[in-house]
Amino acid sequence: MTSATRQEQLAAIFKSATVIPVLTIERVEDAVPLARALVERGYRVFLASRNESELRQRAETIERDFNTSIGWSRADLRNAVECRALVATAEAFLGRIDVLINNAGVGWYKPFMDWSDGEILELLALNLAAPMLLAHAVLPGMLARGRGYIVNVASDLARRPLANMAPYVGSKFGLLGFGTSLHREVRDRGVRLTTVMPGVIDSAFNGALEGTKDPRWALPPSALATRIVDLLALPYNVVIDELTIHPAGGDY
Ligand SMILES: NC(=O)c1ccc[n+]([C@@H]2O[C@H](COP(=O)([O-])OP(=O)(O)OC[C@H]3O[C@@H](n4cnc5c(N)ncnc54)[C@H](OP(=O)(O)O)[C@@H]3O)[C@@H](O)[C@H]2O)c1
């Protein structure tokens, strides 16, 4: 198949996609900006995190606001079986998964010797293994259809060492390495991948109170959400491999 024919085929495939199904991994309250931005742009959304009552309550709010149906499912992504079960449930609801947004992550700010074995393993399971397992589960469908997009939310700490967050930084360096390497395997088969590297976000990360940080040095989640949705709107033959985004006044 000549590359011209392949280009025409990819263009046709993306033109045909009226409603693009998206599986996004995060708490609904965090996802509101992202789910809202996705639904507003015509994406069908399936959400996942650990808190079932919160997911149900918030999903109903979005459904009412947008007169649409949002899929959701409780999943603890530190567990490999739950990662695969989540993809099967999302595929059953959405019909197929064209976009996977890996956003879930944890981290603690403390000297390395104060980290327990359990904390190190839990963090690596969620921040690094879960995105790999979810990509492994959604890729067969994406590759078979010749189209797909994976967005991994790493951190600007994927390229910047920081004391007192060593395991977290290690997981984000790892996520960047995994994503950019995987992309080299799948990019000529219609699958794109972007690693998003935000600076400080005004979220509930590490037990913080969302919406309380000084906007000069903390990103509002909606700013990140909109940039992620913009990535998906790029022409099929364009990809931003790495997106670093900072609060304008941030120290980095
Ligand atoms: N906050 C920052 O300054 C910052 C900066 C750069 C990058 N990041 C990255 O941005 C991403 C989002 O973090 P955030 O700032 O929005 O923090 P957050 O408010 O704490 O959100 C973390 C999300 O991960 C979900 N989660 C945690 N453990 C989970 C598990 N075991 N299974 C499934 N879902 C789980 C949480 O939902 P449940 O608790 O309901 O499960 C929540 O939706 C993370 O990957 C983080 O590393 C954050």
Side-chain angles (χ1 to χ4, degrees), residues 25-31 48-52 54-55 74-79 82 102-107 122 126-127 130 152-157 168 171-172 175 196-208 210 213 218-219 221 224:
I25 313 292
E26 61 203 316
R27 186 184 301 131
V28 167
E29 81 208 74
D30 297 339
S49 76
R50 291 168 299 174
N51 192 316
E52 188 148 349
E54 211 178 80
L55 276 168
R74 183 206 161 284
D76 186 336
L77 299 174
R78 294 168 294 181
N79 178 307
E82 293 196 32
N102 284 309
N103 178 69
V106 288
E122 171 189 349
L126 183 68
N127 293 12
N152 288 334
V153 179
S155 166
D156 66 345
L157 295 176
Y168 178 81
S171 74
K172 296 300 183 178
L175 186 57
V196 178
M197 297 183 279
V200 176
I201 307 170
D202 189 3
S203 69
F205 187 74
N206 197 12
E210 184 160 342
K213 291 191 179 72
L219 289 166
L224 187 60

CSV table of all heavy atoms in Angstrom, one decimal, residues 25-31 48-52 54-55 74-79 82 102-107 122 126-127 130 152-157 168 171-172 175 196-208 210 213 218-219 221 224, ligand 1:
chain,number,residue,atom,x,y,z
A,25,ILE,N,-9.4,8.2,33.0
A,25,ILE,CA,-9.2,7.6,34.3
A,25,ILE,C,-9.1,8.7,35.4
A,25,ILE,O,-8.0,9.3,35.5
A,25,ILE,CB,-7.9,6.7,34.4
A,25,ILE,CG1,-7.8,5.8,33.2
A,25,ILE,CG2,-7.9,6.0,35.7
A,25,ILE,CD1,-8.9,4.7,33.1
A,26,GLU,N,-10.2,9.0,36.1
A,26,GLU,CA,-10.0,10.0,37.2
A,26,GLU,C,-11.3,10.2,37.9
A,26,GLU,O,-12.4,9.9,37.4
A,26,GLU,CB,-9.5,11.3,36.7
A,26,GLU,CG,-10.5,11.9,35.7
A,26,GLU,CD,-9.7,12.9,34.8
A,26,GLU,OE1,-8.9,13.7,35.3
A,26,GLU,OE2,-9.9,12.9,33.6
A,27,ARG,N,-11.2,10.7,39.1
A,27,ARG,CA,-12.4,11.0,39.9
A,27,ARG,C,-13.2,12.0,39.2
A,27,ARG,O,-12.7,12.9,38.5
A,27,ARG,CB,-11.8,11.7,41.2
A,27,ARG,CG,-12.8,12.0,42.3
A,27,ARG,CD,-12.2,12.7,43.5
A,27,ARG,NE,-11.1,12.0,44.1
A,27,ARG,CZ,-9.9,12.5,44.4
A,27,ARG,NH1,-9.7,13.8,44.0
A,27,ARG,NH2,-8.9,11.9,44.9
A,28,VAL,N,-14.5,11.9,39.3
A,28,VAL,CA,-15.4,12.7,38.5
A,28,VAL,C,-15.2,14.2,38.8
A,28,VAL,O,-15.1,15.0,37.9
A,28,VAL,CB,-16.9,12.3,38.7
A,28,VAL,CG1,-17.8,13.4,38.2
A,28,VAL,CG2,-17.1,11.0,38.1
A,29,GLU,N,-14.9,14.6,40.1
A,29,GLU,CA,-14.8,16.0,40.4
A,29,GLU,C,-13.6,16.6,39.6
A,29,GLU,O,-13.6,17.7,39.2
A,29,GLU,CB,-14.8,16.3,41.9
A,29,GLU,CG,-13.4,16.1,42.5
A,29,GLU,CD,-13.6,15.7,44.0
A,29,GLU,OE1,-14.0,14.5,44.2
A,29,GLU,OE2,-13.4,16.5,44.8
A,30,ASP,N,-12.5,15.7,39.5
A,30,ASP,CA,-11.4,16.2,38.8
A,30,ASP,C,-11.7,16.2,37.3
A,30,ASP,O,-11.3,17.0,36.5
A,30,ASP,CB,-10.2,15.2,39.0
A,30,ASP,CG,-9.7,15.2,40.4
A,30,ASP,OD1,-10.0,16.1,41.1
A,30,ASP,OD2,-9.1,14.2,40.7
A,31,ALA,N,-12.6,15.2,37.0
A,31,ALA,CA,-12.9,15.0,35.6
A,31,ALA,C,-13.8,16.0,35.0
A,31,ALA,O,-14.0,16.1,33.8
A,31,ALA,CB,-13.4,13.6,35.3
A,48,ALA,N,-13.5,6.5,35.2
A,48,ALA,CA,-13.2,5.5,36.2
A,48,ALA,C,-12.3,6.0,37.3
A,48,ALA,O,-11.5,6.9,37.1
A,48,ALA,CB,-12.4,4.3,35.6
A,49,SER,N,-12.6,5.6,38.5
A,49,SER,CA,-11.7,5.9,39.7
A,49,SER,C,-12.3,5.0,40.8
A,49,SER,O,-13.1,4.1,40.6
A,49,SER,CB,-11.7,7.3,40.1
A,49,SER,OG,-12.9,7.6,40.8
A,50,ARG,N,-11.8,5.2,42.1
A,50,ARG,CA,-12.2,4.2,43.1
A,50,ARG,C,-13.5,4.5,43.8
A,50,ARG,O,-14.1,3.6,44.4
A,50,ARG,CB,-11.1,4.2,44.2
A,50,ARG,CG,-9.8,3.6,43.6
A,50,ARG,CD,-8.6,3.8,44.6
A,50,ARG,NE,-8.5,5.3,44.8
A,50,ARG,CZ,-7.6,5.8,45.7
A,50,ARG,NH1,-6.9,5.0,46.5
A,50,ARG,NH2,-7.4,7.1,45.8
A,51,ASN,N,-14.0,5.8,43.8
A,51,ASN,CA,-15.1,6.2,44.6
A,51,ASN,C,-16.4,6.1,43.9
A,51,ASN,O,-16.8,7.0,43.3
A,51,ASN,CB,-14.8,7.6,45.1
A,51,ASN,CG,-15.7,7.9,46.3
A,51,ASN,OD1,-16.9,7.6,46.2
A,51,ASN,ND2,-15.2,8.6,47.3
A,52,GLU,N,-17.1,4.9,44.1
A,52,GLU,CA,-18.3,4.7,43.4
A,52,GLU,C,-19.4,5.7,43.6
A,52,GLU,O,-20.0,6.2,42.6
A,52,GLU,CB,-18.9,3.3,43.8
A,52,GLU,CG,-20.1,2.8,43.0
A,52,GLU,CD,-20.1,1.3,42.8
A,52,GLU,OE1,-19.0,0.7,43.2
A,52,GLU,OE2,-21.1,0.8,42.4
A,54,GLU,N,-19.3,8.8,44.6
A,54,GLU,CA,-18.9,10.0,44.0
A,54,GLU,C,-19.0,10.0,42.5
A,54,GLU,O,-19.6,10.9,41.8
A,54,GLU,CB,-17.4,10.3,44.3
A,54,GLU,CG,-17.0,11.7,44.5
A,54,GLU,CD,-15.5,11.7,44.9
A,54,GLU,OE1,-14.7,11.6,44.0
A,54,GLU,OE2,-15.2,11.9,46.1
A,55,LEU,N,-18.6,8.9,41.9
A,55,LEU,CA,-18.7,8.7,40.4
A,55,LEU,C,-20.2,8.8,40.0
A,55,LEU,O,-20.5,9.6,39.1
A,55,LEU,CB,-18.1,7.3,40.0
A,55,LEU,CG,-16.6,7.2,39.8
A,55,LEU,CD1,-16.3,5.7,39.7
A,55,LEU,CD2,-16.2,7.9,38.5
A,74,ARG,N,-16.3,1.9,38.9
A,74,ARG,CA,-15.3,1.9,40.0
A,74,ARG,C,-14.2,1.0,39.6
A,74,ARG,O,-14.4,-0.1,39.1
A,74,ARG,CB,-15.9,1.4,41.3
A,74,ARG,CG,-15.0,1.5,42.5
A,74,ARG,CD,-15.3,0.5,43.6
A,74,ARG,NE,-14.1,0.4,44.4
A,74,ARG,CZ,-13.1,-0.3,44.0
A,74,ARG,NH1,-13.1,-1.0,42.9
A,74,ARG,NH2,-12.0,-0.3,44.8
A,75,ALA,N,-12.9,1.4,39.8
A,75,ALA,CA,-11.8,0.5,39.5
A,75,ALA,C,-10.6,1.0,40.3
A,75,ALA,O,-10.3,2.2,40.4
A,75,ALA,CB,-11.4,0.5,38.0
A,76,ASP,N,-9.9,0.0,41.0
A,76,ASP,CA,-8.7,0.3,41.7
A,76,ASP,C,-7.6,-0.1,40.8
A,76,ASP,O,-7.3,-1.3,40.6
A,76,ASP,CB,-8.6,-0.4,43.0
A,76,ASP,CG,-7.3,0.0,43.8
A,76,ASP,OD1,-6.4,0.5,43.2
A,76,ASP,OD2,-7.3,-0.1,45.0
A,77,LEU,N,-6.9,0.9,40.1
A,77,LEU,CA,-6.0,0.6,39.1
A,77,LEU,C,-4.6,0.1,39.5
A,77,LEU,O,-3.7,-0.1,38.7
A,77,LEU,CB,-5.9,1.8,38.1
A,77,LEU,CG,-7.2,2.1,37.5
A,77,LEU,CD1,-7.1,3.4,36.7
A,77,LEU,CD2,-7.7,1.0,36.6
A,78,ARG,N,-4.5,-0.1,40.9
A,78,ARG,CA,-3.2,-0.7,41.4
A,78,ARG,C,-3.3,-2.2,41.1
A,78,ARG,O,-2.4,-3.0,41.3
A,78,ARG,CB,-3.1,-0.4,42.9
A,78,ARG,CG,-2.8,1.0,43.2
A,78,ARG,CD,-3.0,1.3,44.7
A,78,ARG,NE,-4.3,1.1,45.1
A,78,ARG,CZ,-4.7,1.3,46.3
A,78,ARG,NH1,-3.8,1.7,47.3
A,78,ARG,NH2,-6.0,1.2,46.7
A,79,ASN,N,-4.5,-2.7,40.7
A,79,ASN,CA,-4.8,-4.1,40.5
A,79,ASN,C,-4.9,-4.4,39.0
A,79,ASN,O,-5.8,-3.9,38.3
A,79,ASN,CB,-6.1,-4.4,41.2
A,79,ASN,CG,-6.5,-5.8,41.1
A,79,ASN,OD1,-6.6,-6.3,39.9
A,79,ASN,ND2,-6.8,-6.5,42.2
A,82,GLU,N,-8.3,-5.5,37.7
A,82,GLU,CA,-9.3,-4.4,37.6
A,82,GLU,C,-9.0,-3.5,36.4
A,82,GLU,O,-9.9,-3.0,35.8
A,82,GLU,CB,-9.3,-3.6,38.9
A,82,GLU,CG,-9.9,-4.4,40.1
A,82,GLU,CD,-10.3,-3.6,41.2
A,82,GLU,OE1,-10.7,-2.4,41.0
A,82,GLU,OE2,-10.2,-4.1,42.4
A,102,ASN,N,-4.8,8.5,30.5
A,102,ASN,CA,-4.3,8.0,31.8
A,102,ASN,C,-3.9,9.1,32.6
A,102,ASN,O,-2.9,9.8,32.5
A,102,ASN,CB,-3.0,7.1,31.5
A,102,ASN,CG,-3.4,5.7,31.0
A,102,ASN,OD1,-4.2,5.0,31.5
A,102,ASN,ND2,-2.7,5.4,29.9
A,103,ASN,N,-4.8,9.5,33.6
A,103,ASN,CA,-4.6,10.6,34.4
A,103,ASN,C,-4.3,10.3,35.9
A,103,ASN,O,-3.7,11.0,36.6
A,103,ASN,CB,-5.8,11.6,34.4
A,103,ASN,CG,-5.6,12.8,35.3
A,103,ASN,OD1,-4.8,13.6,35.0
A,103,ASN,ND2,-6.3,12.8,36.4
A,104,ALA,N,-4.8,9.1,36.3
A,104,ALA,CA,-4.7,8.8,37.8
A,104,ALA,C,-3.3,8.7,38.2
A,104,ALA,O,-2.4,8.3,37.5
A,104,ALA,CB,-5.4,7.4,38.0
A,105,GLY,N,-3.0,9.2,39.4
A,105,GLY,CA,-1.7,9.2,39.9
A,105,GLY,C,-1.7,9.6,41.4
A,105,GLY,O,-2.6,10.3,41.9
A,106,VAL,N,-0.7,9.1,42.1
A,106,VAL,CA,-0.5,9.5,43.5
A,106,VAL,C,1.0,9.9,43.7
A,106,VAL,O,1.9,9.6,42.9
A,106,VAL,CB,-0.8,8.4,44.5
A,106,VAL,CG1,-2.3,8.1,44.6
A,106,VAL,CG2,0.0,7.1,44.2
A,107,GLY,N,1.2,10.6,44.8
A,107,GLY,CA,2.6,11.0,45.2
A,107,GLY,C,2.6,11.6,46.5
A,107,GLY,O,1.6,12.2,47.0
A,122,GLU,N,2.8,0.7,45.7
A,122,GLU,CA,1.5,1.3,45.3
A,122,GLU,C,1.6,2.4,44.3
A,122,GLU,O,0.9,2.4,43.2
A,122,GLU,CB,0.8,1.9,46.5
A,122,GLU,CG,-0.5,2.7,46.2
A,122,GLU,CD,-1.1,3.5,47.4
A,122,GLU,OE1,-0.6,3.3,48.5
A,122,GLU,OE2,-2.0,4.3,47.1
A,126,LEU,N,0.3,2.3,40.3
A,126,LEU,CA,-0.7,3.2,39.7
A,126,LEU,C,-0.1,4.1,38.7
A,126,LEU,O,-0.7,4.3,37.6
A,126,LEU,CB,-1.4,4.1,40.9
A,126,LEU,CG,-2.5,5.0,40.4
A,126,LEU,CD1,-3.7,4.3,39.9
A,126,LEU,CD2,-2.8,6.0,41.4
A,127,ASN,N,1.0,4.8,39.0
A,127,ASN,CA,1.6,5.8,38.2
A,127,ASN,C,2.3,5.2,36.9
A,127,ASN,O,2.4,5.9,35.9
A,127,ASN,CB,2.7,6.6,38.9
A,127,ASN,CG,2.1,7.4,40.0
A,127,ASN,OD1,0.9,7.3,40.4
A,127,ASN,ND2,2.8,8.4,40.6
A,130,ALA,N,-0.1,0.8,35.7
A,130,ALA,CA,-1.5,0.9,35.2
A,130,ALA,C,-1.6,1.5,33.8
A,130,ALA,O,-2.3,0.9,33.0
A,130,ALA,CB,-2.4,1.7,36.2
A,152,ASN,N,-1.0,10.2,28.1
A,152,ASN,CA,-0.5,9.9,29.5
A,152,ASN,C,-0.2,11.2,30.2
A,152,ASN,O,0.6,12.0,29.7
A,152,ASN,CB,0.8,9.0,29.4
A,152,ASN,CG,0.5,7.6,28.9
A,152,ASN,OD1,-0.6,7.1,29.1
A,152,ASN,ND2,1.5,7.0,28.3
A,153,VAL,N,-0.8,11.3,31.4
A,153,VAL,CA,-0.5,12.5,32.2
A,153,VAL,C,0.6,12.2,33.1
A,153,VAL,O,0.5,11.4,34.1
A,153,VAL,CB,-1.7,13.0,33.0
A,153,VAL,CG1,-1.4,14.2,33.8
A,153,VAL,CG2,-2.9,13.3,32.0
A,154,ALA,N,1.8,12.7,32.7
A,154,ALA,CA,3.0,12.5,33.6
A,154,ALA,C,3.1,13.7,34.5
A,154,ALA,O,2.3,13.9,35.4
A,154,ALA,CB,4.2,12.3,32.7
A,155,SER,N,4.2,14.4,34.4
A,155,SER,CA,4.5,15.6,35.2
A,155,SER,C,5.7,16.3,34.6
A,155,SER,O,6.4,15.7,33.9
A,155,SER,CB,4.8,15.2,36.6
A,155,SER,OG,5.3,16.3,37.4
A,156,ASP,N,5.9,17.6,34.9
A,156,ASP,CA,7.1,18.2,34.5
A,156,ASP,C,8.3,17.6,35.2
A,156,ASP,O,9.5,17.7,34.8
A,156,ASP,CB,7.1,19.7,34.7
A,156,ASP,CG,7.1,20.2,36.1
A,156,ASP,OD1,6.8,19.3,37.0
A,156,ASP,OD2,7.4,21.3,36.4
A,157,LEU,N,8.0,16.8,36.3
A,157,LEU,CA,9.0,16.0,37.0
A,157,LEU,C,9.4,14.8,36.2
A,157,LEU,O,10.1,13.9,36.7
A,157,LEU,CB,8.5,15.7,38.4
A,157,LEU,CG,8.3,16.9,39.3
A,157,LEU,CD1,7.7,16.4,40.7
A,157,LEU,CD2,9.6,17.6,39.5
A,168,TYR,N,8.3,9.1,43.1
A,168,TYR,CA,7.3,9.7,42.2
A,168,TYR,C,8.0,10.2,40.9
A,168,TYR,O,7.5,9.9,39.8
A,168,TYR,CB,6.6,11.0,42.9
A,168,TYR,CG,5.6,11.7,42.0
A,168,TYR,CD1,4.3,11.3,41.9
A,168,TYR,CD2,6.0,12.9,41.4
A,168,TYR,CE1,3.4,12.0,41.1
A,168,TYR,CE2,5.1,13.6,40.6
A,168,TYR,CZ,3.8,13.1,40.5
A,168,TYR,OH,2.9,13.8,39.7
A,171,SER,N,8.7,7.3,38.7
A,171,SER,CA,7.6,6.8,38.0
A,171,SER,C,7.2,7.7,36.8
A,171,SER,O,6.8,7.2,35.7
A,171,SER,CB,6.4,6.7,39.0
A,171,SER,OG,5.8,8.0,39.2
A,172,LYS,N,7.4,9.0,36.9
A,172,LYS,CA,7.1,9.9,35.8
A,172,LYS,C,8.2,9.9,34.7
A,172,LYS,O,7.8,9.9,33.5
A,172,LYS,CB,6.8,11.3,36.3
A,172,LYS,CG,5.6,11.4,37.3
A,172,LYS,CD,4.3,11.0,36.6
A,172,LYS,CE,3.1,11.2,37.6
A,172,LYS,NZ,1.8,10.9,36.9
A,175,LEU,N,7.2,6.8,32.9
A,175,LEU,CA,6.0,7.0,32.1
A,175,LEU,C,6.4,7.6,30.8
A,175,LEU,O,5.9,7.3,29.7
A,175,LEU,CB,4.9,7.7,32.8
A,175,LEU,CG,3.6,7.8,32.2
A,175,LEU,CD1,3.0,6.4,31.8
A,175,LEU,CD2,2.6,8.6,33.0
A,196,VAL,N,1.7,14.3,28.6
A,196,VAL,CA,1.4,15.6,29.1
A,196,VAL,C,2.2,15.8,30.3
A,196,VAL,O,2.2,14.9,31.2
A,196,VAL,CB,-0.1,15.8,29.3
A,196,VAL,CG1,-0.4,17.2,29.9
A,196,VAL,CG2,-0.9,15.6,28.0
A,197,MET,N,3.0,16.9,30.5
A,197,MET,CA,3.8,17.2,31.6
A,197,MET,C,3.5,18.5,32.3
A,197,MET,O,4.1,19.5,32.0
A,197,MET,CB,5.3,17.1,31.1
A,197,MET,CG,5.6,15.7,30.6
A,197,MET,SD,7.3,15.5,30.1
A,197,MET,CE,7.3,16.3,28.5
A,198,PRO,N,2.5,18.5,33.2
A,198,PRO,CA,2.1,19.7,33.8
A,198,PRO,C,3.0,20.0,35.0
A,198,PRO,O,3.6,19.2,35.6
A,198,PRO,CB,0.7,19.4,34.4
A,198,PRO,CG,0.4,18.0,34.0
A,198,PRO,CD,1.6,17.3,33.5
A,199,GLY,N,3.1,21.4,35.3
A,199,GLY,CA,3.7,21.8,36.5
A,199,GLY,C,2.6,21.7,37.6
A,199,GLY,O,1.7,20.9,37.5
A,200,VAL,N,2.7,22.5,38.7
A,200,VAL,CA,1.7,22.4,39.8
A,200,VAL,C,0.3,22.6,39.3
A,200,VAL,O,0.0,23.5,38.6
A,200,VAL,CB,2.1,23.4,40.9
A,200,VAL,CG1,1.1,23.3,42.0
A,200,VAL,CG2,3.5,23.1,41.4
A,201,ILE,N,-0.6,21.7,39.7
A,201,ILE,CA,-2.0,21.8,39.4
A,201,ILE,C,-2.8,22.1,40.7
A,201,ILE,O,-2.5,21.5,41.7
A,201,ILE,CB,-2.6,20.5,38.8
A,201,ILE,CG1,-1.7,20.0,37.6
A,201,ILE,CG2,-4.0,20.7,38.4
A,201,ILE,CD1,-2.1,18.6,37.1
A,202,ASP,N,-3.8,23.0,40.6
A,202,ASP,CA,-4.6,23.3,41.8
A,202,ASP,C,-5.7,22.2,42.0
A,202,ASP,O,-6.9,22.4,41.8
A,202,ASP,CB,-5.3,24.7,41.6
A,202,ASP,CG,-5.9,25.2,42.8
A,202,ASP,OD1,-5.8,24.5,43.9
A,202,ASP,OD2,-6.6,26.2,42.8
A,203,SER,N,-5.2,21.0,42.4
A,203,SER,CA,-6.1,19.9,42.5
A,203,SER,C,-6.0,19.3,43.9
A,203,SER,O,-5.4,19.9,44.8
A,203,SER,CB,-5.6,18.8,41.5
A,203,SER,OG,-4.4,18.2,42.0
A,204,ALA,N,-6.6,18.1,44.1
A,204,ALA,CA,-6.6,17.5,45.5
A,204,ALA,C,-5.4,16.6,45.6
A,204,ALA,O,-5.3,15.8,46.6
A,204,ALA,CB,-7.9,16.7,45.6
A,205,PHE,N,-4.4,16.8,44.8
A,205,PHE,CA,-3.2,15.9,44.8
A,205,PHE,C,-2.5,16.0,46.2
A,205,PHE,O,-2.4,17.0,46.8
A,205,PHE,CB,-2.2,16.4,43.7
A,205,PHE,CG,-1.0,15.5,43.6
A,205,PHE,CD1,-1.1,14.2,42.9
A,205,PHE,CD2,0.3,15.9,44.0
A,205,PHE,CE1,0.0,13.4,42.8
A,205,PHE,CE2,1.4,15.0,43.9
A,205,PHE,CZ,1.2,13.8,43.2
A,206,ASN,N,-2.1,14.8,46.7
A,206,ASN,CA,-1.4,14.7,47.9
A,206,ASN,C,-2.1,15.3,49.1
A,206,ASN,O,-1.6,16.0,49.9
A,206,ASN,CB,0.0,15.4,47.8
A,206,ASN,CG,1.0,15.0,48.8
A,206,ASN,OD1,0.7,14.1,49.6
A,206,ASN,ND2,2.1,15.8,49.0
A,207,GLY,N,-3.5,15.2,49.0
A,207,GLY,CA,-4.3,15.6,50.1
A,207,GLY,C,-4.6,17.1,50.2
A,207,GLY,O,-5.1,17.6,51.1
A,208,ALA,N,-4.2,17.8,49.1
A,208,ALA,CA,-4.4,19.3,49.1
A,208,ALA,C,-5.9,19.6,48.9
A,208,ALA,O,-6.7,18.7,48.5
A,208,ALA,CB,-3.7,19.9,47.9
A,210,GLU,N,-8.6,21.2,46.7
A,210,GLU,CA,-8.7,21.7,45.3
A,210,GLU,C,-9.2,23.1,45.3
A,210,GLU,O,-10.1,23.5,46.1
A,210,GLU,CB,-9.6,20.8,44.5
A,210,GLU,CG,-9.7,21.2,43.1
A,210,GLU,CD,-10.2,20.0,42.2
A,210,GLU,OE1,-10.1,18.9,42.7
A,210,GLU,OE2,-10.6,20.3,41.1
A,213,LYS,N,-5.1,27.0,45.7
A,213,LYS,CA,-3.8,27.5,45.4
A,213,LYS,C,-3.8,28.9,44.7
A,213,LYS,O,-4.7,29.2,43.9
A,213,LYS,CB,-2.9,26.5,44.6
A,213,LYS,CG,-2.6,25.2,45.4
A,213,LYS,CD,-1.6,24.4,44.7
A,213,LYS,CE,-1.3,23.1,45.5
A,213,LYS,NZ,-2.4,22.1,45.4
A,218,ALA,N,-0.2,27.9,40.2
A,218,ALA,CA,-0.8,26.6,40.1
A,218,ALA,C,-1.8,26.6,39.0
A,218,ALA,O,-2.6,27.5,38.9
A,218,ALA,CB,-1.6,26.3,41.4
A,219,LEU,N,-1.8,25.6,38.1
A,219,LEU,CA,-2.7,25.5,37.0
A,219,LEU,C,-4.1,25.2,37.4
A,219,LEU,O,-4.3,24.2,38.2
A,219,LEU,CB,-2.2,24.4,36.0
A,219,LEU,CG,-1.0,24.6,35.2
A,219,LEU,CD1,-0.5,23.2,34.6
A,219,LEU,CD2,-1.2,25.6,34.1
A,221,PRO,N,-7.3,23.0,36.9
A,221,PRO,CA,-7.5,21.8,36.2
A,221,PRO,C,-8.2,22.0,34.8
A,221,PRO,O,-7.8,21.3,33.8
A,221,PRO,CB,-8.4,21.0,37.1
A,221,PRO,CG,-8.1,21.4,38.5
A,221,PRO,CD,-7.8,22.9,38.3
A,224,LEU,N,-5.7,22.6,32.0
A,224,LEU,CA,-5.1,21.3,31.5
A,224,LEU,C,-6.1,20.5,30.7
A,224,LEU,O,-5.8,20.0,29.6
A,224,LEU,CB,-4.6,20.5,32.8
A,224,LEU,CG,-3.8,19.3,32.5
A,224,LEU,CD1,-2.5,19.6,31.8
A,224,LEU,CD2,-3.5,18.6,33.8
B,1,LIG,N1,-1.3,18.1,41.3
B,1,LIG,C1,-0.1,18.4,40.7
B,1,LIG,O1,0.5,19.4,41.1
B,1,LIG,C2,0.4,17.6,39.6
B,1,LIG,C3,1.5,18.1,38.8
B,1,LIG,C4,1.9,17.4,37.7
B,1,LIG,C5,1.3,16.2,37.4
B,1,LIG,N2,0.3,15.7,38.2
B,1,LIG,C6,-0.3,14.4,37.8
B,1,LIG,O2,-1.7,14.7,37.3
B,1,LIG,C7,-2.5,13.5,37.5
B,1,LIG,C8,-3.8,13.9,38.2
B,1,LIG,O3,-3.5,14.3,39.5
B,1,LIG,P1,-4.3,15.4,40.3
B,1,LIG,O4,-3.4,16.6,40.5
B,1,LIG,O5,-5.6,15.7,39.6
B,1,LIG,O6,-4.4,14.7,41.7
B,1,LIG,P2,-5.8,14.2,42.4
B,1,LIG,O7,-6.7,15.2,42.5
B,1,LIG,O8,-5.3,13.5,43.6
B,1,LIG,O9,-6.3,13.1,41.3
B,1,LIG,C9,-5.7,11.8,41.3
B,1,LIG,C10,-6.7,10.9,40.6
B,1,LIG,O10,-6.3,9.6,40.6
B,1,LIG,C11,-7.4,8.7,41.1
B,1,LIG,N3,-6.8,7.6,41.7
B,1,LIG,C12,-5.9,7.6,42.8
B,1,LIG,N4,-5.6,6.3,43.1
B,1,LIG,C13,-6.3,5.5,42.3
B,1,LIG,C14,-6.5,4.1,42.1
B,1,LIG,N5,-5.8,3.3,42.9
B,1,LIG,N6,-7.3,3.6,41.2
B,1,LIG,C15,-7.9,4.5,40.3
B,1,LIG,N7,-7.9,5.8,40.4
B,1,LIG,C16,-7.1,6.3,41.4
B,1,LIG,C17,-8.2,9.6,42.0
B,1,LIG,O11,-9.5,9.2,42.1
B,1,LIG,P3,-10.0,8.3,43.4
B,1,LIG,O12,-9.3,8.8,44.6
B,1,LIG,O13,-11.5,8.5,43.4
B,1,LIG,O14,-9.7,6.9,43.0
B,1,LIG,C18,-8.1,10.9,41.3
B,1,LIG,O15,-9.0,11.0,40.3
B,1,LIG,C19,-1.6,12.5,38.3
B,1,LIG,O16,-1.1,11.6,37.4
B,1,LIG,C20,-0.5,13.4,38.9
B,1,LIG,O17,0.7,12.6,39.1
B,1,LIG,C21,-0.2,16.4,39.2
